[in-house]
Amino acid sequence: MNMPNIRARLLVVLVVLCGFLTVAGSPSATAATTVPDSLWFDGTALTVSNGRFTDSLGREVVLRGYNVSGETKLEENGGLPFASVADAKKSATALRALGGGNSVRFLLSWAHAEPVRGQVDSAYLAAVTDQLRAFLDAGIRVYPDFHQDLYSRYLFDEDSWYTGDGAPEWAVDAGSYPDESCGICLFWGQNITQNGAVKAASYDFWHNAYGLQDAFLATAQQTMTYLGQHLNAEEFAGVAGFDPFNEPYAGTYDSGQTSRTWERDVLWPFYVKFRARMDAAGWQDKPALVEPNLFWNSNIDSQKQTGGLLDAGTLGSRYVFNTHFYDQKAISGILMWGKAADGQYTTDFGTVRDRAAAAGTTAVVSEFGHPLSGTVADKAPTVLKAMYQALDSRVKGASWWSSPAVSGPVLSGSQWQWDLYSGRHHELMNGNSGKVLTTGDAWNDEDLSAVRLDDSGAAVLRQDARLLDRLYPSATSGTTVAFTYEDRSRDGSTTLTWNLVPSSLPNVAQLVGSGQYGLLVWRSTGGSAPTELHLPASFPTASTTVVSDLGTAYGPPAYTQTTPIAVAAEPGGTGTRRLLLTASDTGVLHYALVTNGATSPSAALLTAARTELTAWASRI
């Protein structure tokens, strides 16, 4: 992840995207039988189709989850996300049960995959595969990411204020780079554009000096081949694609070169080569999740650089537009006073939707987040609520009920980060035994993990569960028209409510009351599989109310293929649940309001609320 250190406040530009990836083929209906709680429509591979992430049953899929994890950037566990497979399993279960995630961006380390030039470490790949499998077994989709920040830790002196991750030591030794120095830098991200060693090493990689890029591509291919050979077909179907390179930046532009021409002439050809390596490794039916220039969507004008893969043409089904987004103004503590508000990021995330649509593909925001300690941590509850709001819809809450059709697609996204060892690290920074890091993320003063272990070793959330464990449409049988979710998460003792049910719908408002609610509107396309919404833990089955054109239910029954509104366990055996809405017609506009605000609502109230919503939906 690329974001300013917490000893000050900002400087790095990250870009947002959410998306839908690709995996090929049409696995049989029994593809997921080895995963506990699977149903007949589970376990199919994903593809990109019509600008959406879709399963083999034609349902639009939304991926929500976290980055697993910044631990990979550290040396304490040898570049692995976890110290053991047992920890990986604990993390996967908690991510599902506490964080509501159905996917992870799974970090890998080039330095540990190829510690000696030309020699891939099979022991590292075996450990990676075992830890990755723990998430697949929990019913969580995975997209691996060869991660880097500031090119490599081996660029940095033992006593440096900063460190990096990514390239192996031999790659740094090949360049004979100058002694690293950022000058007057308050934020670690400043090293990207101010540290001569980082700039020179990045430049060399992109120009394939010393054959660096060739070596990386060869290692990536061997890594993908290994994963494909050591995961069974059902497990491999759960791998959603591959993120080739985290937060690419030129280092230094050539004379006359711009950020846009660098993307066109340097970055995109690299992605084409990576795509060919995927094909050679047997990943031809899975997409490459490609990131534009790191600074393309900075929300600080002086940092922003033209980009977004504008000259790559139609990306289609073999690539996904993949970006990051952090509010650098909020992180600075200077450029944005106060808290985030309703609709704060709808324009920023709308730009992501528009760029993906123009490229003929889908989008994924593979990193977003905000510091949880330090001088700007008080903004985190509102910043994260506004980011999730913008992932759900491009319309702010105050306008959603009057303009639902403008919502746009629901974006996929992976929050930074899910680090089981948050605050319990033992990292020797740059190998310095006199500089042992234990707090936060143990990396450049960052502290963004949504989870930690308590003193008993149990995983607990560091953020409001109402914010993280969200209602969202994980699979829509048809075309999503609009979606909103009012989580009523907290900022301290204040309940944040940005999307009130309008007074023109009094019975709906009475039904919701002060509870949480979500509303999905979709148009059917004749699919036989149900539409799925993740049910947060705050929506117990017995006290969940559904009002839909398909019917009404208080305490929905268990799923059968003939039950239009039902509940079932999510695959993976973690105890999480989903709401299943079955409508096998074609071209019909459907809606479903889901709330935990009602207590034993009367049949009359349910009927009245349904009448109001039917009239409202008819105007969309």
Side-chain angles (χ1 to χ4, degrees), residues 37 64-66 88-104 134-135 137-140 418 420 450-451 458-472 534-540 569-578:
D37 297 325
R64 289 288 176 88
Y66 304 83
K89 291 180 178 179
K90 176 186 288 190
S91 181
T93 299
L95 188 146
R96 197 75 148 137
L98 300 179
N102 68 354
S103 64
V104 294
F135 288 83
D137 289 347
I140 297 170
W418 191 267
L420 214 58
V451 71
V460 294
L461 293 178
R462 301 178 64 220
Q463 296 173 274
D464 188 351
R466 297 168 74 96
L467 170 72
L468 299 181
D469 188 12
R470 307 179 62 79
L471 187 83
Y472 62 92
H534 168 71
L535 280 177
S538 58
F539 281 70
E570 288 179 318
T574 60
T576 58
R577 296 156 303 113
R578 50 189 160 170

Side-chain angles (χ1 to χ4, degrees), residues 195-257:
N195 190 319
V198 173
K199 292 167 62 178
S202 299
Y203 180 91
D204 280 353
F205 177 84
W206 293 115
H207 288 78
N208 199 26
Y210 319 110
L212 293 170
Q213 194 177 114
D214 289 341
F216 172 81
L217 290 168
T219 296
Q221 180 177 336
Q222 291 182 68
T223 299
M224 288 184 283
T225 298
Y226 188 96
L227 288 169
Q229 291 175 343
H230 291 81
L231 296 172
N232 64 39
E234 297 163 3
E235 293 166 343
F236 193 54
V239 178
F242 207 108
D243 184 344
F245 197 92
N246 180 67
E247 296 174 357
Y249 181 63
T252 302
Y253 292 121
D254 289 321
S255 177
Q257 192 175 55

Side-chain angles (χ1 to χ4, degrees), residues 134-222:
F135 288 83
L136 297 172
D137 289 347
I140 297 170
R141 296 189 186 270
V142 175
Y143 58 104
D145 154 50
F146 263 118
H147 207 81
Q148 73 80 37
D149 296 285
L150 308 184
Y151 191 70
S152 173
R153 71 185 294 266
Y154 297 105
L155 285 172
F156 291 84
D157 299 329
E158 192 177 70
D159 60 352
S160 178
W161 282 15
Y162 303 103
T163 191
D165 67 282
E169 187 172 13
W170 63 259
V172 172
D173 291 344
S176 300
Y177 299 112
D179 190 47
E180 62 88 13
S181 175
C182 193
I184 303 175
C185 287
L186 297 176
F187 325 108
W188 75 256
Q190 288 179 268
N191 285 274
I192 297 170
T193 55
Q194 292 181 220
N195 190 319
V198 173
K199 292 167 62 178
S202 299
Y203 180 91
D204 280 353
F205 177 84
W206 293 115
H207 288 78
N208 199 26
Y210 319 110
L212 293 170
Q213 194 177 114
D214 289 341
F216 172 81
L217 290 168
T219 296
Q221 180 177 336
Q222 291 182 68

Side-chain angles (χ1 to χ4, degrees), residues 505 591 609-620:
L505 302 171
Y591 67 83
R610 186 183 183 194
T611 299
E612 289 178 350
L613 286 170
T614 299
W616 170 83
S618 70
R619 298 190 292 270
I620 297 177

Side-chain angles (χ1 to χ4, degrees), residues 424-473:
R424 296 175 178 267
H425 293 282
H426 192 272
E427 173 72 2
L428 278 60
M429 185 174 180
N430 297 319
N432 188 340
S433 60
K435 207 170 185 180
V436 181
L437 306 181
T438 60
T439 60
D441 300 345
W443 197 86
N444 285 344
D445 290 340
E446 291 197 332
D447 184 14
L448 284 90
S449 178
V451 71
R452 65 176 177 85
L453 297 179
D454 65 15
D455 290 341
S456 71
V460 294
L461 293 178
R462 301 178 64 220
Q463 296 173 274
D464 188 351
R466 297 168 74 96
L467 170 72
L468 299 181
D469 188 12
R470 307 179 62 79
L471 187 83
Y472 62 92

Side-chain angles (χ1 to χ4, degrees), residues 23 28 37 49 54 82 113 134 144 154 156 189 232 255 269 275 283 361 392 394 457 463 477 540 555 560 574 605:
V23 176
S28 68
D37 297 325
S49 178
T54 62
F82 303 98
Y154 297 105
F156 291 84
N232 64 39
S255 177
R275 173 72 265 178
W283 291 51
T361 188
D392 289 343
R394 66 190 304 159
Q463 296 173 274
S477 187
T560 71
T574 60
L605 178 58

Side-chain angles (χ1 to χ4, degrees), residues 243-292:
D243 184 344
F245 197 92
N246 180 67
E247 296 174 357
Y249 181 63
T252 302
Y253 292 121
D254 289 321
S255 177
Q257 192 175 55
T258 66
S259 55
R260 179 168 180 170
T261 60
W262 178 79
E263 280 194 351
R264 182 192 68 196
D265 300 335
V266 179
L267 181 60
W268 183 250
F270 165 76
Y271 286 146
V272 172
K273 293 176 185 176
F274 195 95
R275 173 72 265 178
R277 297 286 184 156
M278 291 179 69
D279 294 350
W283 291 51
Q284 59 268 31
D285 296 323
K286 300 180 187 290
L289 283 66
V290 293
E291 301 183 33

